[in-house]
Amino acid sequence: MGLGIDIRHRIAKRAAAEIKNGMIVNLGIGIPSLIPNYVPSAVHVMFHAENGILGLGSSPPLGEEDENVCNAAGYPTTTVQGASYCDSATAFAMIRKGYVDMTILGALEVSEKGDLANWIVPGKRVPGMGGAMELAQKAKKVIVLMNHTSKTGEPKLVKTCSLPLTASSCVGLVITDRAVFKVEKDALLLTELMSPYTVEDILSSTEATVRLSDQLITIP
């Protein structure tokens, strides 16, 4: 099943806490696009989009959308002071040169080694991989936001990805609708639980090897 809007916003709010002042951050399609709504005004961040904007802002109020200003998914957005526009080739050059401090992406699967599969399901038609492969390899930190399980209830945090990889050993942090994990060597470190889920719930719905943090906390 898909995630309800409240859960999607809770994940986005938690992800926003990872953003530090002065960063250049690329946001993927879906839940990551909600993140600008939760970044404190005191944190100066330049959100990057592959379609050629550096300086994305929060979502515009209903009725105040500008059809010429959108994020990489094509949804209306705003820009912040100091924002700039460029062509897509320049936007990708920023990624490949290593100027992006963090990218926050969706995923189909993440392995316990931090391998990422998020661009295709064999046999299904997709519009393309976008900038996922460049971002996963060149961003200084990769964060994944996703459902903890598939639509059929199968784990998406796995020992080894069964789907074609976007990049290997690239993910540093995973935030799902149930928990937060840091990717360590050959295991996922469970650091936070999303209420009302328990440790037992996480272990039973995760195929990857999971270790528990000594400072495990619960997010209301």
Side-chain angles (χ1 to χ4, degrees):
M1 293 179 64
L3 297 178
I5 188 65
D6 290 342
I7 297 175
R8 291 165 61 87
H9 278 273
R10 180 163 72 162
I11 294 172
K13 183 177 181 180
R14 173 58 187 83
E18 296 295 316
I19 296 172
K20 309 303 180 185
N21 197 52
M23 279 185 167
I24 294 176
V25 179
N26 179 280
L27 301 176
I29 294 172
I31 299 174
S33 66
L34 301 173
I35 291 172
N37 299 319
Y38 294 99
V39 177
S41 58
V43 176
H44 179 70
V45 55
M46 298 298 277
F47 286 112
H48 170 277
E50 299 99 299
N51 60 326
I53 300 178
L54 182 62
L56 290 171
S58 58
S59 302
L62 188 64
E64 297 183 20
E65 300 89 346
D66 182 339
E67 64 181 11
N68 296 308
V69 182
C70 63
N71 59 28
Y75 292 109
T77 188
T78 58
T79 55
V80 300
Q81 184 176 5
S84 59
Y85 300 89
C86 62
D87 58 26
S88 187
T90 302
F92 271 83
M94 294 179 195
I95 299 170
R96 293 167 180 163
K97 190 66 175 179
Y99 290 132
V100 175
D101 294 298
M102 180 187 295
T103 185
I104 306 178
L105 304 169
L108 298 168
E109 291 179 333
V110 174
S111 80
E112 61 188 37
K113 296 181 180 180
D115 299 333
L116 172 65
N118 79 340
W119 76 277
I120 193 170
V121 175
K124 292 190 177 182
R125 296 185 64 182
V126 295
M129 68 186 70
M133 289 187 174
E134 285 91 344
L135 287 163
Q137 295 184 59
K138 293 296 185 178
K140 295 171 186 174
K141 183 174 183 178
V142 178
I143 295 177
V144 164
L145 312 184
M146 68 177 191
N147 303 50
H148 199 90
T149 60
S150 69
K151 293 179 180 179
T152 57
E154 297 299 315
K156 294 177 66 173
L157 294 170
V158 296
K159 288 188 174 297
T160 303
C161 292
S162 61
L163 296 172
L165 292 186
T166 305
S168 61
S169 302
C170 61
V171 180
L173 188 74
V174 180
I175 304 173
T176 77
D177 54 310
R178 302 184 185 186
V180 179
F181 302 86
K182 290 183 179 178
V183 180
E184 298 192 329
K185 185 180 177 69
D186 298 332
L188 303 179
L189 181 67
L190 176 61
T191 60
E192 301 171 39
L193 292 169
M194 295 281 197
S195 177
Y197 293 100
T198 65
V199 170
E200 290 72 23
D201 293 329
I202 301 307
L203 295 178
S204 65
S205 58
T206 306
E207 181 190 293
T209 302
V210 175
R211 299 192 182 107
L212 305 185
S213 170
D214 293 334
Q215 299 177 325
L216 182 62
I217 64 173
T218 298
I219 301 175

